[in-house]
Amino acid sequence: MRARRLLGKVALGAEAAATLTIATVAIRVLPRRAPVRLLGRPEPAAERAVVGSSDPRARRVGRAVERVAAVMPWRPSCLPQAIATRAMLRRRRIPCEGHLGVVSTSPLEAHAWVTVQGRVVQGGPIRNATEVAAFR
């Protein structure tokens, strides 16, 4: 049982590393507006999400992406983390939303995060961010 759980964590971490690498490369090589499209279809901004998740699988995916990003040599920012999290959640058929927001205008600072059922699973906690767009 313990070995199975450890193997599952290793597999999830490897998937997160591969997906983060692909997202980072895509952001660097695709035309300027294309990476945002990787988050999904844009929708009008909704109300601010609540931190936490009622779906433990979704939170596990978000945590795996954040932990792997913290140890990668290039330290992926929030956008590739959000793209990777959305891709992994969609692979598991877990409905999710990507969000882009502005944290500061001077200097301009943006943030990306992912929610499942209105709760942040990656990129939280969201403080002082004004949501600009949601992606489904």
Side-chain angles (χ1 to χ4, degrees):
M1 178 79 159
R2 230 178 188 183
R4 179 182 276 176
R5 192 178 329 178
L6 179 60
L7 187 58
K9 285 184 179 184
V10 169
L12 187 62
E15 180 186 0
T19 309
L20 273 167
T21 302
I22 292 166
T24 301
V25 170
I27 288 170
R28 292 179 188 216
V29 301
L30 291 175
R32 186 175 276 173
R33 294 178 189 202
V36 173
R37 291 187 197 133
L38 294 174
L39 281 173
R41 284 186 337 267
E43 304 268 334
E47 290 187 22
R48 181 181 266 182
V50 181
V51 177
S53 176
S54 58
D55 188 337
R57 296 175 309 146
R59 185 62 199 142
R60 254 191 311 276
V61 167
R63 250 192 333 263
V65 169
E66 290 173 344
R67 287 178 177 165
V68 169
V71 298
M72 293 191 99
W74 62 88
R75 299 284 196 260
S77 67
C78 58
L79 183 58
Q81 288 183 50
I83 291 169
T85 301
R86 289 242 324 136
M88 291 173 67
L89 290 172
R90 285 191 305 246
R91 243 180 261 131
R92 288 162 176 76
R93 293 190 170 105
I94 298 173
C96 57
E97 294 181 352
H99 303 268
L100 290 178
V102 175
V103 177
S104 169
T105 56
S106 182
L108 183 62
E109 185 182 345
H111 185 57
W113 65 96
V114 177
T115 61
V116 171
Q117 299 174 350
R119 300 195 180 266
V120 176
V121 295
Q122 181 277 318
I126 309 304
R127 293 189 186 105
N128 304 325
T130 303
E131 186 175 341
V132 176
F135 298 84
R136 291 177 183 87

